[in-house]
Amino acid sequence: MSSLKILNTLFVLTLVLLLSSCVHTSVKPDGTLKQNEIIANLVAYKNSDFNQVEATFYTEKSRALVFRILSDVDKTSQWLQRVSSLEVIEVYNNQSYLLRTVINSPLPFKDRELITCVNTSFEKIITTISISSCSDRVPVNEDLVRVKQVDSIWVLKDLPNSLVKVHYKTWIDPNGYVPAFIFNKELKQSTLKDLRRLNNLIENSVLLDFSY
């Protein structure tokens, strides 16, 4: 069961999540954001009309706690909205597995399905979670729109000032008819709102709440 709870929901921020408003951020003299503040930006991605979103925030909580929260299925709905279902299809090892996710899409769009490979690396001060499409490993469900292009990563880094930097970036092509200007706007807004929820959960949790 512990294998299924390692990283099994991290990639789902790669889809459009309906959120609203922007965030005001303040920067400290050392160039980092103030604790609990979040910044998100859209950047061009290769030759795609769909942008990549990059987001960062800092916390005084431990890197282990941030990782446990990100990988806890039972807590995912507290910070990530529109997830309809999650299914670990195959566990390759403790740091890699195949995941199926269904995301509720806003009308008039059909729900989206992702088949992704989730891979994690643990270093002395950095934990990295990489998410990529493995769509060819599972037959297509005709009732859903299969998202076949995903490029996403989480980087959790311990800093000398006892803060943990949480950096997230993702790009997807949602497939089907989705206007890029709508998708890009919602991607930034949704990332901000969901990361606020995630940050709030982190700040109000302790590691013992997320033991394997």
Side-chain angles (χ1 to χ4, degrees):
M1 184 63 178
S2 60
S3 295
L4 303 185
K5 298 187 72 173
I6 296 177
L7 310 178
N8 47 7
T9 60
L10 303 177
F11 74 97
V12 288
L13 278 176
T14 57
L15 286 187
V16 174
L17 310 166
L18 292 182
L19 310 167
S20 60
S21 78
C22 294
V23 64
H24 172 74
T25 59
S26 300
V27 179
K28 298 190 293 184
D30 63 0
T32 64
L33 299 174
K34 291 183 178 179
Q35 184 185 351
N36 299 328
E37 296 197 80
I38 300 167
I39 188 169
N41 292 299
L42 296 177
V43 298
Y45 185 89
K46 300 181 180 179
N47 296 320
S48 175
D49 291 332
F50 299 101
N51 291 155
Q52 176 176 270
V53 65
E54 297 186 6
T56 301
F57 67 89
Y58 296 80
T59 177
E60 291 182 339
K61 297 298 181 110
S62 70
R63 178 164 50 108
L65 175 62
V66 177
F67 174 78
R68 296 279 182 89
I69 291 175
L70 286 172
S71 60
D72 193 310
V73 175
D74 296 333
K75 296 292 191 298
T76 301
S77 62
Q78 295 185 21
W79 61 273
L80 189 61
Q81 298 300 294
R82 297 198 168 272
V83 176
S84 176
S85 66
L86 294 168
E87 177 188 2
V88 176
I89 300 172
E90 184 175 356
V91 177
Y92 302 122
N93 54 56
N94 285 336
Q95 296 179 323
S96 179
Y97 65 93
L98 185 68
L99 183 68
R100 176 181 183 266
T101 303
V102 176
I103 300 295
N104 290 326
S105 296
L107 293 175
F109 305 111
K110 293 181 65 175
D111 290 350
R112 259 57 181 173
E113 177 190 51
L114 291 88
I115 306 297
T116 53
C117 291
V118 182
N119 298 285
T120 308
S121 65
F122 300 94
E123 301 177 29
K124 185 175 181 179
I125 64 170
I126 296 176
T127 300
T128 303
I129 306 105
S130 301
I131 304 102
S132 60
S133 176
C134 288
S135 179
D136 58 344
R137 302 189 187 186
V138 176
V140 173
N141 184 334
E142 298 297 339
D143 294 329
L144 303 167
V145 176
R146 173 70 61 84
V147 174
K148 297 181 179 180
Q149 298 185 72
V150 180
D151 184 6
S152 184
I153 190 169
W154 290 85
V155 179
L156 316 178
K157 182 177 182 179
D158 293 331
L159 300 180
N161 56 4
S162 298
L163 290 176
V164 171
K165 179 181 179 180
V166 180
H167 183 69
Y168 170 74
K169 63 180 181 180
T170 191
W171 172 84
I172 68 168
D173 185 327
N175 204 358
Y177 178 72
V178 179
F181 76 94
I182 294 178
F183 180 89
N184 293 336
K185 178 180 179 181
E186 295 299 334
L187 179 62
K188 179 177 179 178
Q189 293 175 343
S190 64
T191 299
L192 285 169
K193 189 170 182 180
D194 281 351
L195 290 185
R196 289 191 196 106
R197 292 193 186 98
L198 172 61
N199 182 269
N200 185 64
L201 180 59
I202 292 169
E203 297 305 317
N204 291 283
S205 300
V206 295
L207 192 58
L208 289 178
D209 295 336
F210 296 88
S211 59
Y212 291 135

